[in-house]
Amino acid sequence: MSPPLWHWLPGSRPELPSVAPIGDFERFFQRERALAERGARNFSLVVFEPASEDARPILRLTRAIAKRLRESDVLGRLDRTRFAVILAATDAKGAWIFADRVLGDLARQYLPADVRVYSDQDTLGEQKAPARRRTDSFDGTPGVSTGLPEHILPEAMVAELTRLVTDARDALAGKPDGPADSIAAVREDLGREVHDIEDLFLQPTPPLKRALDVVGSLTLLTVLSPVLLSIALAVRLSSPGPILFRQQRAGVGGRPFTFYKFRSMYVDAEARKRELAGDNEADGPVFKMKNDPRVTPIGRVLRRFSLDELPQLWNVFVGDMSLVGPRPPTLDEVPAYARWHRRRLQLKGGLTCHWQVSGRSDVSFEEWMRMDARYSREVHIGTDLKLLARTAKAVISGKGAY
């Protein structure tokens, strides 16, 4: 697609045709994200980064990308050197096919570039891909991203593989219900990587928040050490089994980590969970049951006052969790999330949150997700301190705990 005429008018920076400024590009992106979360359509993002920051390689890169754009696609800046394309109504397969065409044009110019594909498809349960993949040029010199495996290939073979990918995209474009299996096979054969688009929104923990986590968790572990030892002894004597319950939970970006609690259930609790699925009293993909027969007598007391959660202070100290943040979900809950629910995985899970101080199990699942989404937009040390203060009252009252 040729750049619109107005992009070549005086003062319109013709050296970067069709490129939306950072602010405008962000608005386009948020619009597509909102449409995806409402189920209107999916979309993908392809990020290109030239190996050189010089003006000429950047100009050649943007021209190569602009030539492949559809009317519904948007090319924009992510930062000073990285450029991205929003591909509306395009899944990961189509995004990689688009990237291949651009990479083929760049490779013929011997222009080094990196590429990364993001999709709004649910990949949270999969192993995360490496940070970036570079490939070899036609003549075997490292650095040119042709989108092919990282070893030296003859030019004729590269051209043939590129042609196969292009033909597959054309077939899919002509037939909406086209050969998805063939496209998937091409992706597998070429070792394609796809990243969850939510990874773009992962929030690093602010230094002040992390300092509060370290100081607060270390202080509480020290002050409450007699309580922790007493609980450990009570758990050991109350029923056979380990003192601590270890479970894989979803952390930032859905990545698993080992989550600790004092054991409050009998050792066969996980095996019996499926048998009790019909007695689930919670809505959404979570399991809650007031009179859960798997809970031990001492466990009922611990859960009533959230004392079983105290070992998570260690999770906070080592950096897996924060004092304040969305409660980390189990790995089997995440695949059932709607797209907008995943916003709660943008930041570290916490010991306490809006849900924890607002009735816990008395709150509906949808309202719980809205609370966490709101917190992800308002992370602030003042908010954390207020929630920590409210937590003490919620723990004493035991409201919604079971």
Side-chain angles (χ1 to χ4, degrees):
M1 184 184 75
S2 301
L5 177 62
W6 58 82
H7 283 282
W8 299 101
L9 297 177
S12 61
R13 298 194 66 182
E15 70 276 15
L16 295 179
S18 304
V19 178
I22 294 176
D24 292 343
F25 186 74
E26 182 178 357
R27 285 191 287 274
F28 283 122
F29 184 87
Q30 293 295 353
R31 179 197 64 188
E32 290 298 328
R33 188 187 187 201
L35 287 171
E37 287 181 343
R38 287 163 176 77
R41 64 187 185 193
N42 59 350
F43 77 109
S44 295
L45 188 78
V46 182
V47 179
F48 296 91
E49 182 174 3
S52 172
E53 299 182 8
D54 295 338
R56 185 173 295 276
I58 290 179
L59 172 59
R60 291 162 64 190
L61 171 66
T62 55
R63 283 178 173 172
I65 297 172
K67 184 174 68 174
R68 298 292 183 181
L69 295 180
R70 304 169 299 180
E71 290 292 341
S72 58
D73 301 333
V74 179
L75 167 62
R77 280 185 178 270
L78 285 186
D79 50 37
R80 192 161 59 92
T81 58
R82 292 189 302 160
F83 296 83
V85 180
I86 300 171
L87 299 174
T90 304
D91 61 11
K93 299 172 186 177
W96 260 116
I97 294 169
F98 170 86
D100 280 329
R101 284 194 165 184
V102 176
L103 290 171
D105 293 342
L106 297 177
R108 283 188 285 273
Q109 302 176 58
Y110 294 93
L111 180 63
D114 288 341
V115 66
R116 199 171 192 182
V117 169
Y118 293 86
S119 175
D120 70 334
Q121 294 171 324
D122 189 3
T123 59
L124 291 173
E126 301 174 2
Q127 183 179 0
K128 294 297 175 178
R132 178 177 287 131
R133 183 170 64 84
R134 292 182 67 87
T135 51
D136 299 326
S137 65
F138 288 166
D139 62 2
T141 57
V144 177
S145 275
T146 60
L148 297 171
E150 297 188 9
H151 52 73
I152 299 173
L153 295 175
E155 180 174 351
M157 185 180 296
V158 173
E160 178 63 13
L161 288 173
T162 302
R163 185 188 65 79
L164 289 173
V165 173
T166 301
D167 290 345
R169 183 190 184 187
D170 291 341
L172 185 62
K175 300 177 181 179
D177 298 323
D181 292 341
S182 299
I183 298 295
V186 171
R187 287 183 64 208
E188 183 176 354
D189 291 342
L190 301 184
R192 290 296 186 254
E193 296 169 357
V194 179
H195 303 263
D196 195 304
I197 212 158
E198 291 301 315
D199 285 353
L200 295 170
F201 298 93
L202 301 185
Q203 300 182 26
T205 303
L208 188 57
K209 182 178 176 66
R210 179 58 187 152
L212 177 64
D213 289 342
V214 173
V215 174
S217 61
L218 185 58
T219 300
L220 289 172
L221 283 169
T222 303
V223 172
L224 297 176
S225 56
V227 177
L228 295 171
L229 290 173
S230 300
I231 294 175
L233 181 61
V235 171
R236 171 65 76 183
L237 296 176
S238 66
S239 64
I243 294 172
L244 292 178
F245 172 70
R246 297 172 175 84
Q247 186 181 46
Q248 292 293 293
R249 294 285 183 106
V252 179
R255 295 174 177 85
F257 72 96
T258 302
F259 176 91
Y260 298 100
K261 296 178 68 172
F262 280 124
R263 183 175 58 84
S264 60
M265 293 186 174
Y266 295 104
V267 291
D268 62 346
E270 287 297 295
R272 295 172 61 189
K273 182 178 178 180
R274 184 175 297 179
E275 301 172 8
L276 298 170
D279 298 318
N280 185 15
E281 299 175 21
D283 59 338
V286 294
F287 184 87
K288 298 287 183 182
M289 188 176 175
K290 281 187 178 180
N291 298 312
D292 196 327
R294 302 173 300 160
V295 179
T296 64
I298 188 64
R300 296 191 186 281
V301 177
L302 297 181
R303 293 162 73 93
R304 177 75 169 78
F305 299 103
S306 300
L307 296 175
D308 59 325
E309 312 286 358
L310 290 179
Q312 290 154 44
L313 289 169
W314 177 254
N315 286 121
V316 174
F317 181 72
V318 299
D320 292 329
M321 293 174 57
S322 179
L323 288 175
V324 180
R327 292 295 292 161
T330 59
L331 297 183
D332 61 343
E333 292 173 17
V334 175
Y337 278 0
R339 287 169 175 168
W340 71 272
H341 295 161
R342 289 184 285 175
R343 294 198 177 200
R344 69 193 306 267
L345 299 175
Q346 293 174 187
L347 65 166
K348 286 181 183 178
L351 270 173
T352 189
C353 56
H354 286 291
W355 171 80
Q356 193 83 1
V357 301
S358 301
R360 289 180 275 188
S361 298
D362 294 339
V363 177
S364 70
F365 179 77
E366 290 296 304
E367 183 59 28
W368 178 6
M369 296 298 102
R370 281 192 285 270
M371 289 177 178
D372 287 344
R374 184 172 75 247
Y375 176 78
S376 70
R377 298 190 300 268
E378 60 180 30
V379 176
H380 188 272
I381 192 65
T383 302
D384 285 9
L385 292 174
K386 290 178 182 177
L387 286 172
L388 288 171
R390 292 177 60 192
T391 298
K393 181 180 178 180
V395 168
I396 293 172
S397 70
K399 182 182 179 182
Y402 56 84

